[in-house]
């Protein structure tokens, strides 16, 4: 019976327009939030709200006391407002500590008297802190309940304690000398090169007292470390105090039984005596091995401040025992971490490079040169860096020695890039690109190019048209692109495409469109093997989109780009181009396969196709009809393609497209459209509400609704009642939103669809209830009062 009722509307529904007239601006105004005037002179969001008791709450639980709950205003009490009246715990705590004699405190909005036995925090604080104190470092874990809240292991606690003690020793090294130095400032400040005779008696007595206290430490290792930390303080007592103490401490280390502990103790002793160790190296003469160990062991700051002295000692070493370039390499490691005095930097570089450039072995040369590149980049200009690169090319080119030194050459590039973010300066170095030519192994060459592009994308802030930068980066991007072959992984292709697209985005010729087009054409030819780059270029340049899109392999990329290009053409008043793009997109629909590959997995293409068709329908509202193609020719062409497409078995996709097309046709029948494109006349202007145009829309709507009803009838015969209910409810919603339900037959059709959707109890009850509430709300409007009769005929049916 219900299917007979569904078909009753078809022969008699011949009104001039079955879509209800829409007043879009009024609807938007109606949907906006209410605006209420606020007196800002007396308003603050955190201001306390006055609450007054007026009447008892009804319906309290049995046995409980009713409490007053009515407020003088309808505003809900803001929990943050309690912070302003001083009733929160922290405010009370502060108030008590600051004013212990306060006669009362505020708690939960009520005044309570404080007893005579109340003790304020100010009086208890001293007692508590004296009883409970600790020197241990406490850590507060913010992630309560997680694994991080567990107690740390004993080993981590021990390592933390060791690190803390080492930090205290470091502080003792420097702090002890400063405190003595301040004592010696009376009556006159001590000079830098002072002797024990210049120190006053007070400072000497204090210093000697320290060493007596240290001598009373019974354990050997603690006594040794503390005295070593204060070793330089012997300078305040006697002229030869440091040398004598050094000999004694060295002998004391022999008493440590654990060999590892003894080694660490000797290393620490050397650490606080760099100057003395250098003096010993000088006395030993050509002991290059010891000198190299000193430069490796001591802190970089110590070595950097004495770099000139080290260079002098290196020059005096004999080449036979230990090569000088290794000594300069050790010195370079320290200078790459710490800065020597500015006045000495140029002489240091010249002295070092005079030795490095004479190294004959390419491997030894590049190992040393690679270290000094960092020092050169940090303290000098592109001129010096260019000289270094030229020297490296000179040494590494003969016999293709660079093939065995790719890691070192890559390290040179990585050290240069952080110091030259201005790529016009980088590429103006004459030897930079020739240096890149030494990377002739494909994998290494691509990695170097990627590192250059990553720095460019990260630090290039503004678009550029500099020909030096463009030519160099085009060459680098082409190198990355040409590395792609059939075996290249998809992730690698994506990575390369992102870098190349980042470069393309930073190229701009402003209003010089010919230059911009020329660049895009060159880029399209250069990067033809990377589809994401071609897609990006299509977004960047509409001029060649029509002939470029067919080269893409992904059909959905082609469909979306045809649609996007058509929209861009419309926005630029290129109507014939827009028409060509949209017609091509429609003609491409039959080629969409049933399944597509996404991240290596085969998935149904239906959701993606439906999404595209819905986007396409929304665009068709603003597309004017072609004067030679007939009324609604693009809409009809799209629906014909949908009709002929081979959908999946047991699929409702085609019917959902028909239902989606009904709102478009309803929007096309309005006197003024919901949205338009400036300077483009849509069908509302071309037809001006012509009755023949409205009649064509009505006929098409009838055809689509008939197709939907036929499908619903077929689902009733099969096991598709759940799908039937869902589609019926979708069509009901469409008629409710866009149909003129003052027409009795259309009104009855909507009621029948509602009943069909609820017939088998598969409709979501919450959605149904909210829909009914919406209809009742709409029925209160003057022009929709006819909906009130309809609500009486819409009933909710349970699954029973």
């Amino acid at each position: 019976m219900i299917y007979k009722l569904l078909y009753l509307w078809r022969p008699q529904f011949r009104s001039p327009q079955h879509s209800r007239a829409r007043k879009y601006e009024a609807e938007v105004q109606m949907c906006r939030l209410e605006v209420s005037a606020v007196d800002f002179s007396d308003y603050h969001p955190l201001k306390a709200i006055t609450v007054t008791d007026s009447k008892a709450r009804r319906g309290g639980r049995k046995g409980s006391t009713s409490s007053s709950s009515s407020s003088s205003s309808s505003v809900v009490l803001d929990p943050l407002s309690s912070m302003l009246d001083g009733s929160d715990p922290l405010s009370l705590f502060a108030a008590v500590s600051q004013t212990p004699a306060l006669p009362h405190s505020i708690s939960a909005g009520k005044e309570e008297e404080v007893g005579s036995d109340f003790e304020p925090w100010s009086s208890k604080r001293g007692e508590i802190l004296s009883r409970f104190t600790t020197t241990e470092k406490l850590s507060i874990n913010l992630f309560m309940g997680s694994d991080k809240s567990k107690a740390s292991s004993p080993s981590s606690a021990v390592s933390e304690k060791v690190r803390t003690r080492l930090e205290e020793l470091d502080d003792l090294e420097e702090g002890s000398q400063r405190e003595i130095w301040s004592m010696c400032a009376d009556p006159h400040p001590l000079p830098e090169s002072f002797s024990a005779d210049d120190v006053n008696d007070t400072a000497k007595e204090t210093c000697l007292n320290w060493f007596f206290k240290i001598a009373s430490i019974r354990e050997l290792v603690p006594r040794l470390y503390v005295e070593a930390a204060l070793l330089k303080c012997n300078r305040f007592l006697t002229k030869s105090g440091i040398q004598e103490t050094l000999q004694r401490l060295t002998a004391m280390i022999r008493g440590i039984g654990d060999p590892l502990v003894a080694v660490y103790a000797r290393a620490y002793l050397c650490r606080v005596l760099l100057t003395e160790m250098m003096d010993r190296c000088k006395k030993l003469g050509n002991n290059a091995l010891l000198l190299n160990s000193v430069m490796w062991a001591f802190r970089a700051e110590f070595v950097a401040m004495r770099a000139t002295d080290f260079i002098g000692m290196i020059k005096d070493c004999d080449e036979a025992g230990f090569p000088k370039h290794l000594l300069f390499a050790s010195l370079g490691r320290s200078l790459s971490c710490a800065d020597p005095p500015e006045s000495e930097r140029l002489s240091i570089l010249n002295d070092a490079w005079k030795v490095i450039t004479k190294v004959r072995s390419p491997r030894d040369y590049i190992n040393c040169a690679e270290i000094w590149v960092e020092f050169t980049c940090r303290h000098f200009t592109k001129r010096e860096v260019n000289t270094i690169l030229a020297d490296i090319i000179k040494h590494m080119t003969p016999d293709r020695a660079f093939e065995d030194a790719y890691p070192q050459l890559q390290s040179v590039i990585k050290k240069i890039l952080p110091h030259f973010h201005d790529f016009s300066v980088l590429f103006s170095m004459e030897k930079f690109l020739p240096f890149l030519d030494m990377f002739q192994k494909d994998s290494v060459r691509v990695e170097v190019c990627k590192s250059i592009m990553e720095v460019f994308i990260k630090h290039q802030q503004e678009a550029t048209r500099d020909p030096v930068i463009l030519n160099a980066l085009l060459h680098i991007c082409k190198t990355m692109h040409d590395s792609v072959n059939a075996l290249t992984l998809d992730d690698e292709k994506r990575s390369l495409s992102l870098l190349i697209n980042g470069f393309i985005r930073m190229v701009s010729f402003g209003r010089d469109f010919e230059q911009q087009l020329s660049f895009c054409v060159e880029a399209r030819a250069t990067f033809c093997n990377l589809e994401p780059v071609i897609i990006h270029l299509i977004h960047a340049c509409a001029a060649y989109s029509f002939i470029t899109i067919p080269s893409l392999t992904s059909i959905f990329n082609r469909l979306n780009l045809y649609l996007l290009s058509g929209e861009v053409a419309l926005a630029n008043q290129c109507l014939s181009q827009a028409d060509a793009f949209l017609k091509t997109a429609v003609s491409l629909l039959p080629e969409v396969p049933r399944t597509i590959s996404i991240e290596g997995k085969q998935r149904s293409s239906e959701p993606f196709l439906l999404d595209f068709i819905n986007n396409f329908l929304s665009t068709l509202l603003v597309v004017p009809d072609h004067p030679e193609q007939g009324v609604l020719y693009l809409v009809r062409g799209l629906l014909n393609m949908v009709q002929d497409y081979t959908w999946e078995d047991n699929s409702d996709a085609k019917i959902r497209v028909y239902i989606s097309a009904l709102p478009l046709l309803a929007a096309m029948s309005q006197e003024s459209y919901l949205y338009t494109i400036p300077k483009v006349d849509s069908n509302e202007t071309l037809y001006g509400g012509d009755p023949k145009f409205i009649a064509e829309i009505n006929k098409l709507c009838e055809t689509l609704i008939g197709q939907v009803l036929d499908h619903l009838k077929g689902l009733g015969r099969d096991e598709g009642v759940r799908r039937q209910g869902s589609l019926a409810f979708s069509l009901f919603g469409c008629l409710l939103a866009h149909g003129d339900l003052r027409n009795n037959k259309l009104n009855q059709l909507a009621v029948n669809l509602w009943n069909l959707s609820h017939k088998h109890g598969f409709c979501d009850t919450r959605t149904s209830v909210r829909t009914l509430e919406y209809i009742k709300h709409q029925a209160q409007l003057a022009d929709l009062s006819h909906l009130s009769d309809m609500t009486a005929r819409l009933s909710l049916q349970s699954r029973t």
Side-chain angles (χ1 to χ4, degrees):
M1 181 63 181
I2 195 167
Y3 302 109
K4 183 177 180 181
L5 292 174
L6 287 175
Y7 278 89
L8 285 176
W9 74 282
R10 298 180 70 179
Q12 303 178 27
F13 183 64
R14 286 292 184 268
S15 61
Q17 179 178 349
H18 68 270
S19 301
R20 70 181 180 93
R22 305 291 293 275
K23 299 178 181 178
Y24 294 119
E25 294 184 2
E27 291 180 22
V28 170
Q29 292 295 335
M30 185 179 64
C31 294
R32 284 180 176 170
L33 296 175
E34 278 188 36
V35 179
S36 58
V38 177
D39 184 6
F40 287 97
S41 61
D42 201 26
Y43 169 77
H44 190 279
L46 297 181
K47 187 175 181 179
I49 300 175
T50 305
V51 180
T52 59
D53 297 336
S54 61
K55 60 182 179 180
R57 181 186 304 150
R58 295 182 180 180
R61 290 182 299 175
K62 186 176 181 181
S64 64
T65 304
S66 300
S67 60
S68 58
S69 62
S70 178
S71 172
S72 60
S73 65
S74 61
V75 183
V76 180
L77 184 63
D78 183 3
L80 294 179
S81 62
S82 62
M83 297 180 64
L84 296 180
D85 61 6
S87 63
D88 61 287
L90 292 180
S91 297
L92 291 176
F93 183 81
V96 171
S97 64
Q98 293 175 7
T99 56
L102 194 66
H104 63 277
S105 62
I106 304 175
S107 176
K110 299 181 179 179
E111 297 183 358
E112 297 179 357
E113 295 295 334
V114 177
S116 58
D117 58 343
F118 176 77
E119 295 186 40
W121 165 248
S122 57
S123 61
K124 298 287 292 182
R125 178 173 52 192
E127 178 186 351
I128 293 175
L129 293 180
S130 63
R131 289 174 57 194
F132 304 100
T133 182
T134 179
T135 58
E136 296 289 335
K137 292 187 177 181
L138 302 179
S139 62
I140 301 176
N141 198 325
L142 299 180
F143 303 94
M144 301 304 293
S146 65
D147 293 339
K148 295 184 178 180
S149 63
K150 297 179 181 179
S152 58
S153 61
S155 61
S156 63
V158 172
S159 62
E160 179 67 25
K161 186 176 294 185
V162 171
R163 183 165 62 251
T164 302
R165 288 179 176 176
L166 288 176
E167 291 174 356
E168 291 173 354
L169 284 175
D170 289 342
D171 295 338
L172 201 59
E173 290 178 28
E174 302 174 0
S176 60
Q177 291 193 73
R178 286 195 300 268
E179 185 178 347
I180 298 302
W181 204 288
S182 61
M183 285 183 169
C184 297
D186 185 26
H188 303 291
L190 282 180
E192 288 291 337
S193 57
F194 71 93
S195 64
D197 298 333
D198 300 324
V199 181
N200 58 39
D201 293 338
T202 303
K204 283 186 177 180
E205 183 177 355
T206 302
C207 184
L208 194 60
N209 188 32
W210 285 0
F211 284 109
F212 284 155
K213 289 182 178 180
I214 294 171
S216 65
I217 299 174
R218 293 184 178 182
E219 292 81 5
L220 173 61
V221 176
R223 183 169 74 250
L224 173 69
Y225 274 104
V226 175
E227 190 168 358
L230 300 180
L231 180 63
K232 294 182 182 179
C233 292
N234 284 280
R235 183 182 177 190
F236 294 94
L237 300 177
T238 61
K239 294 181 179 180
S240 59
I242 293 180
Q243 286 76 14
E244 294 175 358
T245 306
L246 183 61
Q247 297 290 342
R248 180 169 53 82
L249 292 177
T250 305
M252 287 171 59
I253 294 176
R254 299 173 184 172
I256 299 177
D258 191 322
L260 185 60
V261 176
V263 170
Y264 273 110
R266 290 188 175 92
Y268 180 74
L269 186 60
C270 293
R271 184 172 179 269
V272 298
L273 273 176
L274 176 60
T275 305
E276 287 74 7
M277 291 298 299
M278 289 182 63
D279 292 340
R280 290 198 168 198
C281 290
K282 290 179 181 178
K283 293 178 181 178
L284 291 174
N286 294 326
N287 197 335
L289 183 58
L290 177 59
L291 183 60
N292 187 67
S293 301
V294 167
M295 289 188 289
W296 270 89
F298 286 94
R299 286 189 289 187
E301 293 79 8
F302 289 163
V303 177
M305 293 305 295
R306 300 165 177 84
T308 303
D309 295 336
F310 275 105
I311 289 178
M313 296 169 63
I314 292 173
K315 290 180 178 179
D316 294 337
C317 289
D318 189 358
E319 190 81 27
F322 200 88
K324 289 185 179 180
H325 69 268
L326 294 180
L327 296 175
F328 274 105
S330 300
L331 178 62
R333 288 188 182 92
S334 297
L335 297 183
S336 64
C337 301
D339 300 333
E342 186 175 356
S343 59
E344 302 176 6
R345 292 171 186 172
L346 182 59
S347 62
I348 291 173
L349 179 61
N350 289 333
D351 291 338
W353 209 257
K354 287 177 183 177
V355 176
I356 296 171
T357 194
K358 294 179 181 178
V359 178
R360 295 182 178 180
S361 169
R363 176 174 296 180
D364 293 340
Y365 167 83
I366 193 60
N367 286 335
C368 192
E370 172 254 328
I371 295 172
W372 279 87
V373 167
E374 175 72 20
F375 176 78
T376 309
C377 292
R378 286 178 61 175
H379 303 298
F380 299 97
T381 64
K382 69 173 185 177
R383 177 175 173 271
E384 289 77 12
V385 176
N386 191 65
T387 302
I388 298 293
L389 293 179
D391 195 64
I392 294 177
I393 295 172
K394 177 184 176 182
H395 281 77
M396 303 306 295
T397 302
D399 300 326
R400 301 178 66 86
F402 54 77
E403 293 182 344
D404 298 324
Y406 284 139
Q408 293 83 354
L409 295 176
Q410 283 183 271
S411 177
V412 171
I413 291 292
K414 291 181 179 179
K415 290 178 178 178
I416 291 176
L417 291 176
H419 299 281
F420 290 91
H421 296 160
D422 187 346
F423 274 66
S424 60
V425 176
L426 180 67
F427 292 128
S428 64
M429 285 193 292
E430 180 185 354
K431 298 298 181 180
F432 184 76
L433 291 180
F435 183 86
L436 293 182
D437 290 337
M438 288 194 296
F439 296 98
Q440 296 189 8
K441 185 178 180 181
D442 289 342
S443 59
V444 179
R445 190 181 184 88
V446 171
E447 287 300 318
V448 171
C449 292
K450 287 172 65 175
S451 63
I452 295 174
M453 292 307 304
E454 287 169 357
V455 174
F456 174 79
I457 293 172
K458 181 179 180 181
H459 296 286
Q460 185 71 23
Q461 301 296 328
E462 299 177 354
T464 181
R465 59 187 300 175
D466 189 327
V468 175
I469 295 178
L470 297 187
N471 291 333
L473 291 183
L474 268 176
H475 172 72
I476 291 173
C477 289
K478 186 177 186 305
T479 301
M480 295 192 298
H481 169 270
D482 292 347
S483 67
V484 175
N485 54 44
L487 300 179
T488 304
L489 299 177
D490 289 340
D491 287 343
E492 179 68 9
K493 290 181 181 179
R494 273 194 294 269
S495 175
L496 296 177
S497 299
L498 286 174
L499 294 175
I500 296 175
N501 287 341
F503 161 62
I504 294 173
R505 276 194 296 268
M506 297 308 298
V507 178
S508 174
F509 291 89
R511 302 295 297 177
D512 191 346
F513 297 126
E514 281 195 26
Q515 281 284 77
Q516 192 76 42
L517 176 60
S518 176
F519 170 78
C520 289
V521 170
E522 183 180 0
R524 181 183 62 174
T526 304
F527 309 123
C528 58
N529 291 333
L530 290 174
E531 190 160 297
V533 180
I534 299 299
I535 294 174
H536 181 78
L537 287 169
I538 292 172
H539 282 84
C541 179
Y544 54 53
S545 297
F546 196 79
I547 62 174
T548 307
I549 294 175
S551 65
L552 303 177
T553 57
S554 171
I555 190 165
F556 280 105
N557 281 336
R558 280 184 276 160
L559 285 171
N560 289 319
L561 286 173
Y562 276 129
L563 177 58
L564 178 61
S565 300
E567 293 169 346
V568 172
L570 280 174
N572 290 276
Q573 298 91 50
C574 302
L575 301 185
S576 60
Q577 287 85 346
D579 188 71
F581 280 121
L582 297 178
K583 283 198 298 186
T584 306
V586 171
S587 65
L588 194 62
L589 289 179
E591 299 181 19
V592 176
R594 298 276 291 272
T595 61
I596 57 175
S597 176
I598 299 178
E599 297 181 354
K601 297 180 180 179
Q602 291 295 320
R603 296 187 180 180
S604 171
S605 63
E606 259 189 21
F608 302 96
L609 183 56
L610 287 176
D611 184 62
F612 169 77
I613 292 175
N614 287 331
N615 289 337
F616 196 91
L617 288 171
S618 65
T619 303
L620 291 181
L621 178 63
V622 296
V623 179
D625 279 341
H626 196 282
E628 301 176 359
Q629 299 291 338
V631 178
L632 303 177
Y633 81 103
L634 276 177
V635 178
R636 295 179 189 275
L638 175 65
L639 294 176
N640 289 334
M641 289 295 180
V642 171
Q643 176 72 25
D644 297 336
Y645 183 76
T646 305
W647 299 93
E648 294 183 11
D649 298 335
N650 300 321
S651 171
D652 301 322
K654 178 171 67 175
I655 301 304
R656 294 198 176 275
V657 172
Y658 292 162
I659 296 176
S660 298
L662 291 174
L664 168 67
L665 296 172
M668 284 184 166
S669 65
Q670 304 299 317
E671 292 184 3
S672 59
Y673 285 0
L674 178 59
Y675 48 86
T676 57
I677 295 179
K679 300 181 182 180
V680 174
D681 292 333
S682 302
N683 286 339
E684 61 171 339
T685 304
L686 296 181
Y687 295 107
D690 190 312
K692 294 182 180 179
F693 177 63
I694 301 300
E696 289 294 330
I697 292 178
N698 287 341
K699 290 179 182 178
L700 191 53
C701 288
E702 292 176 17
T703 303
L704 293 177
I705 294 177
Q707 292 285 335
V708 176
L709 296 180
D710 289 340
H711 187 74
L712 290 177
K713 185 176 181 180
L715 290 177
R717 291 193 298 265
D718 302 327
E719 298 297 327
V721 290
R722 182 186 293 271
R723 292 159 50 201
Q724 182 191 60
S726 176
L727 289 174
F729 194 81
S730 296
L731 182 56
F732 168 80
C734 182
L735 296 180
L736 177 65
H738 305 283
D740 187 1
L741 297 184
R742 289 175 298 184
N743 182 283
N744 292 331
K745 298 300 180 180
L746 194 61
N747 190 301
Q748 184 61 48
L749 173 63
V751 173
N752 293 340
L753 288 170
W754 172 277
N755 294 332
L756 179 61
S757 65
H758 290 73
K759 180 179 180 181
H760 299 284
F762 290 116
C763 196
D764 182 64
T765 304
R766 179 179 298 180
T767 304
S768 300
V769 171
R770 293 179 64 181
T771 303
L772 273 177
E773 292 176 353
Y774 168 77
I775 298 174
K776 292 177 182 178
H777 176 74
Q778 292 293 96
Q780 298 175 6
L781 302 178
D783 55 343
L784 295 176
S785 58
H786 57 277
L787 294 179
S788 58
D789 296 333
M790 178 179 174
T791 56
R793 295 182 290 159
L794 301 180
S795 59
L796 298 174
Q797 298 181 12
S798 65
R799 197 168 289 184
T800 58

